[in-house]
Amino acid sequence: MALAQAQGMRLPLVQARRVLVHVLSEGRDDLDLPGQPLSRATRAWLGSHLRHDRLAVEERVRDDGDGSVRYLLRSPDGALHEAVRIPLHKAGAFSVCLSSQVGCAMGCAFCATGRLGLRRHLEAWEMVAAWRLVRDEVVAQGLGRVTGAVFMGQGEPFHNYDAVIRAADQLGHPCGGRIGGRAITISTVGLVPQIRRYTAEGHRFRLIVSLTSARAERRAALLPVAGKWSLEELAQALRAHHEATRQRVTIAMVVLGGVNTGDDEVQALRALLGDLPVRINLVDVNAAEATPDGFRRATDAERRAFMDGLAGLGQPVVRRYSVGQEQQAACGMLAATRAPALVAEAPEV
Ligand code: SF4
């Protein structure tokens, strides 16, 4: 049973919390709460407000290189989407990378998911159910604990803002997924109005903004949606977020060999960010043979030179590893290889 519409419950708060603990924290598929049983009326009400649907696991792909496990999941309407179990540095600790949409409307030039177009948004219950499914397997297999969630799978989370925030709230709730707020990360390709809304609403989750280029023309070519807002508007939104949270904004740069690793990119970043405190995450693009338009990973020499240049900005720079590279299953690849089925079976929006 997947918990849905928790915030729409008209149950007394204590009852709602008991149900949330039972279903999400304890991973139970029934309403047989320990202690005082629920009344018949409450069970009936819950029966019409909780989704009893489950996600089916179509495929599990393990990457022996990094230990990640990619799940291809099927929703009751046939839509395929993914989640990835990611081992963290601490032994026995895992995070789950969650999709927010079936396909994606953003059309990033280097991304397999972008080729699919948007089929539909995922509902909050589907994201929570994906997390719970992975968490329950980790617990059942005695592997350890799931201590995080990252909304960085298929789709643009801020294009499905309300459902993503609702899912993150349930995962971070002490009666729900019990994940610490800073262990929940939401990534965006840079939708400026949603970044401003997110800041105004004061969420405690970690925000990552995919910049990938600080040069306007190059960024618009790589991330077509970037053409909607200028880089200056994006930088202003990030500055406002920093001023509201007093935290460094994390900037992600998808590193594309021969494209965005030169000194021109470093200088553009310097001009754009000024004294805004950021953390720069460098993420390798997927293997060349798996990307549209033939983008390739940077060579070691290119990456080293780029990192040396970025060091001059005086901001922390971290190289992040994209999980699932060995199986060519990183970022949307598993669903992308099943794209014909996905397109045929998912309903139009
Ligand atoms: S990189 Fe992310 S936002 Fe861009 S097309 Fe792929 S899934 Fe969508």
Side-chain angles (χ1 to χ4, degrees):
M1 180 192 300
L3 185 65
Q5 301 175 350
Q7 69 176 22
M9 279 186 185
R10 276 174 235 110
L11 287 179
L13 194 57
V14 173
Q15 295 272 51
R17 284 185 174 153
R18 287 182 68 216
V19 173
L20 198 56
V21 167
H22 188 73
V23 174
L24 189 46
S25 301
E26 307 292 338
R28 296 285 299 264
D29 286 330
D30 56 61
L31 290 175
D32 302 327
L33 272 58
Q36 192 180 7
L38 295 173
S39 70
R40 191 176 299 180
T42 302
R43 291 176 73 100
W45 190 92
L46 285 168
S48 60
H49 286 79
L50 288 178
R51 292 290 295 265
H52 290 250
D53 297 328
R54 297 180 68 107
L55 303 176
V57 180
E58 286 284 306
E59 214 168 296
R60 286 178 190 77
V61 179
R62 182 182 167 82
D63 187 320
D64 290 329
D66 58 31
S68 64
V69 177
R70 185 166 293 257
Y71 295 73
L72 181 61
L73 304 171
R74 182 182 289 276
S75 283
D77 68 356
L80 295 171
H81 45 100
E82 301 176 358
V84 187
R85 188 179 89 202
I86 304 169
L88 301 176
H89 290 304
K90 189 173 166 206
F94 298 86
S95 188
V96 183
C97 178
L98 296 167
S99 297
S100 55
Q101 297 175 315
V102 180
C104 182
M106 300 297 122
C108 300
F110 47 82
C111 172
T113 304
R115 278 180 291 182
L116 302 177
L118 176 66
R119 307 309 300 176
R120 72 167 171 87
H121 296 307
L122 289 179
E123 295 180 36
W125 79 262
E126 291 173 300
M127 296 176 245
V128 173
W131 183 87
R132 213 200 91 173
L133 186 150
V134 176
R135 190 275 314 269
D136 289 352
E137 280 198 6
V138 166
V139 172
Q141 293 171 14
L143 299 175
R145 296 173 57 222
V146 173
T147 58
V150 291
F151 291 86
M152 269 190 203
Q154 276 189 323
E156 159 56 48
F158 275 2
H159 190 204
N160 187 16
Y161 185 95
D162 290 333
V164 166
I165 295 295
R166 197 176 313 138
D169 279 340
Q170 291 183 22
L171 295 178
H173 198 284
C175 298
R178 296 177 173 165
I179 305 174
R182 300 298 289 165
I184 296 175
T185 299
I186 300 177
S187 158
T188 175
V189 78
L191 308 192
V192 170
Q194 283 89 333
I195 293 172
R196 291 196 178 283
R197 177 180 168 190
Y198 181 84
T199 301
E201 290 175 352
H203 298 291
R204 64 214 158 96
F205 315 119
R206 200 180 287 267
L207 182 67
I208 294 186
V209 177
S210 180
L211 189 65
T212 296
S213 177
R215 294 180 59 105
E217 271 186 34
R218 183 178 291 157
R219 186 163 194 268
L222 295 171
L223 314 175
V225 72
K228 285 193 168 185
W229 304 280
S230 69
L231 277 166
E232 289 67 32
E233 286 174 294
L234 177 58
Q236 281 168 11
L238 300 184
R239 194 168 291 278
H241 185 74
H242 165 69
E243 283 165 5
T245 61
R246 306 315 302 169
Q247 278 158 359
R248 280 179 188 273
V249 177
T250 300
I251 302 283
M253 299 284 289
V254 177
V255 181
L256 303 162
V259 176
N260 63 348
T261 56
D263 191 54
D264 60 330
E265 198 64 65
V266 176
Q267 297 315 323
L269 271 168
R270 184 190 300 281
L272 181 70
L273 299 174
D275 60 358
L276 175 66
V278 298
R279 177 180 293 101
I280 300 174
N281 284 358
L282 301 183
V283 185
D284 284 330
V285 71
N286 299 334
E289 52 272 40
T291 64
D293 301 329
F295 287 106
R296 66 168 174 84
R297 298 176 74 174
T299 62
D300 288 347
E302 281 175 318
R303 193 181 301 102
R304 205 174 310 118
F306 190 39
M307 290 185 82
D308 287 347
L310 292 174
L313 300 181
Q315 311 255 25
V317 180
V318 181
R319 185 181 173 196
R320 296 281 179 205
Y321 294 87
S322 181
V323 294
Q325 295 278 3
E326 199 161 287
Q327 296 290 344
Q328 302 235 328
C331 187
M333 286 293 155
L334 199 56
T337 58
R338 303 281 295 271
L342 185 150
V343 170
E345 293 166 24
E348 290 284 354
V349 279

